[in-house]
């Protein structure tokens, strides 16, 4: 008579459950065909991202902090060492400022398109990291696209984030999430995994919200990559903390902080998740301006509430499918993604007192990860002469979600914003030349659009 196995204590069960967040590296590296397809996919991702900008186009325009802070700083005639560590909005922005300094080497005429290309490259790199790192969680390549493609087609915040280096920090946060979970096999992959940690920490204090996940990795995976990640994250935290503690920067006067849990839950449930699933256009627009003023929606309140309820009904149905084992859920990944996204939302939105659309970007991307983790198709039972393959019935829910998200991303691919409404960069440069000719090469030309502007010193015009 077989003796029943003794129950596993709760502690080891929890440890084993958490360990699933950091799966062993793949046995084999990518094939030549996979690398070639990856390069083509990367170029396609850059093309999709560039195509999102209307008006004069991504490569013939500049806007928001890219113009007001980074371009102006790079061409300010101040020492680069001073500019790179010049803080604003409560943070130092080392990564974006280095990118701006590099773009300034190409002169005024080409600095704007070069800075945009750097931003596009980093956004596409985030998609590539998500696709690659998710391979140990999603065996089907098309399911990995579900957590990668939305990076370059995210259906929220197009009014505030559009191929600019300023908002790459939100994509870097998502890249860092995947980097912490990723255990690449090759030396090159290990180096790449460390880079998002360094870049994210150089932009803001936001990566502090990933420290619990990184601490878990440090407990379970004690290799040199993990240690360098931890050191990089702590270095970024120390950099940002030093400027805050010493009074060199502050967020005083920025927003109207509100950490009321009821307010945050209402914003998360009624704004962030519905917009992540249906996009801003179907929800009537972003709902707020960059200053926090209410932006009228193009749909009525009742329609907005109905769509929000439908969004949560979809989420409830997905969770139910996972609980009933009609799919093959990866609960640790789903909970980690929702937890990190929820923490990000609570701290960032709470610090402002309203939902800035750009803060929904990482929340939406992480929510897609959670849903993909719950919708993994269940395999057929293995037999001696057949490899386990997903049951057709278990594929239907995830394919339905893929179709929904593809339509939502396509609908929100392009839209008007301050960048598309601004004048072409070539025209700005032409006006600068005309101004400097009149003033005999002295002075500074300024072009203003909305709340941001560029200043081009005549002695830097060339």
């Amino acid at each position: 008579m077989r003796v029943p196995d003794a129950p596993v204590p709760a502690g080891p069960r929890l440890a084993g459950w958490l360990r699933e967040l950091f799966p062993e590296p793949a046995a084999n590296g990518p094939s030549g065909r996979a690398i070639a397809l990856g390069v083509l996919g990367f170029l396609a991702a850059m093309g999709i991202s560039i195509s999102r900008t209307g008006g004069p186009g991504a490569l013939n325009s500049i806007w928001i902090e890219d113009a007001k802070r980074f371009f102006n700083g790079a061409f300010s005639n101040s020492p680069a060492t001073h500019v790179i560590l010049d803080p604003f909005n409560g943070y130092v922005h080392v990564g974006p400022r280095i990118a701006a300094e590099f773009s300034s080497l190409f002169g005024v005429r080409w600095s704007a398109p070069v800075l945009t290309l750097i931003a596009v490259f980093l956004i596409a790199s985030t998609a590539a990291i998500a696709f690659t790192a998710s391979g140990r969680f999603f065996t089907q390549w098309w399911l990995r696209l579900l957590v990668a493609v939305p990076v370059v087609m995210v259906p929220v915040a197009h009014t505030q984030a559009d191929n600019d280096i300023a908002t790459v920090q939100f994509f870097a946060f998502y890249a860092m999430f995947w980097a912490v979970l990723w255990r690449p096999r090759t030396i090159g992959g290990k180096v790449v995994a460390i880079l998002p940690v360094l870049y994210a920490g150089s932009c803001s204090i936001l990566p502090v919200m990933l420290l619990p996940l990184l601490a878990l990795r440090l407990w379970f995976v004690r290799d040199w990559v993990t240690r360098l990640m931890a050191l990089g994250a702590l270095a970024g935290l120390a950099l940002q903390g030093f400027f805050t503690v010493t009074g060199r920067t502050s967020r005083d006067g920025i927003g109207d902080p509100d950490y009321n849990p009821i307010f945050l839950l209402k914003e998360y449930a009624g704004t962030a998740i519905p917009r992540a699933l249906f996009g801003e256009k179907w929800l009537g627009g972003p709902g707020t301006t960059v200053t926090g003023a209410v932006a009228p929606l193009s749909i009525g309140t009742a329609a907005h509430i109905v769509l929000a309820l439908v969004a949560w009904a979809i989420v409830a149905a997905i969770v139910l499918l996972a609980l009933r084992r009609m799919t093959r859920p990866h609960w640790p990944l789903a909970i980690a993604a929702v937890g990190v996204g929820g923490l990000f939302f609570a701290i960032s939105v709470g610090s402002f007192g309203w939902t800035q659309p750009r803060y929904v970007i990482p929340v939406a991307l992480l929510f897609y990860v959670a849903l993909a983790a719950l919708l993994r198709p269940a395999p057929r039972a293995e037999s001696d002469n057949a490899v386990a393959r997903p049951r057709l019935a278990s594929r239907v829910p995830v394919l339905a979600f893929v179709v929904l998200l593809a339509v939502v991303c396509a609908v929100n691919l392009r839209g008007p914003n301050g960048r598309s409404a601004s004048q072409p960069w070539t025209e700005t440069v032409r006006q600068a030349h005309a101004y400097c000719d009149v003033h005999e090469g002295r002075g500074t030309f300024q072009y203003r659009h909305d709340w941001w502007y560029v200043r081009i010193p005549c002695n830097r015009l060339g």
Side-chain angles (χ1 to χ4, degrees), residues 195-251:
L195 295 179
V197 180
L198 299 177
Y199 185 87
S202 78
C203 298
S204 73
I205 200 70
L206 297 177
V208 70
M209 290 171 262
L210 284 165
L211 289 184
L213 192 62
L214 183 54
L216 275 179
R217 173 172 174 141
L218 195 59
W219 178 262
F220 289 113
V221 187
R222 301 178 183 181
D223 60 359
W224 66 268
V225 177
T226 306
R227 293 187 180 95
L228 285 180
M229 282 185 177
L231 289 174
L234 291 176
L237 180 61
L239 174 69
Q240 303 294 345
F242 172 79
F243 274 76
T244 300
V245 171
T246 58
R248 288 173 168 80
T249 186
S250 171
R251 289 187 63 81

Side-chain angles (χ1 to χ4, degrees), residues 42 44-46 48-50 52 119-132 144-156 158 161-163 167-168 170-176 178 361-362 364-366 368-369 405 409 413:
F42 186 86
M46 290 187 66
I48 292 171
S49 188
I50 290 172
R52 300 195 69 181
V120 171
F121 176 85
L122 293 175
I123 293 170
S125 296
T126 297
I129 289 172
F131 182 85
T132 305
R144 293 156 68 187
L145 289 177
L146 185 57
V147 300
V149 173
V151 173
V152 294
M153 300 179 68
V154 63
V156 297
H158 193 58
D162 188 2
N163 292 316
T167 56
V168 165
F170 302 111
F171 299 97
F173 183 90
Y174 181 65
M176 182 175 170
W178 278 115
I361 291 174
L365 295 175
L366 288 167
Y368 303 149
V369 173
L405 189 57
C409 287
L413 184 65

Side-chain angles (χ1 to χ4, degrees), residues 39-112:
V39 171
L40 292 176
F42 186 86
L43 295 175
M46 290 187 66
I48 292 171
S49 188
I50 290 172
S51 72
R52 300 195 69 181
T53 306
L59 300 181
N60 195 22
S61 60
I62 190 172
W63 77 321
I64 59 172
E65 284 86 357
D66 282 28
K68 182 179 179 180
R69 299 290 188 175
F70 304 135
F71 175 90
N72 289 347
F75 284 92
S76 65
N77 293 319
S78 298
T81 52
H82 171 75
V83 173
I84 288 173
L85 293 176
D86 185 23
F88 68 91
N89 287 351
Y91 311 126
V92 287
H93 304 260
V94 175
R97 287 201 183 276
I98 290 177
E101 290 292 332
F102 175 78
S103 70
S104 70
L105 299 178
F106 295 84
V108 171
R109 168 63 184 88
W110 295 105
S111 60

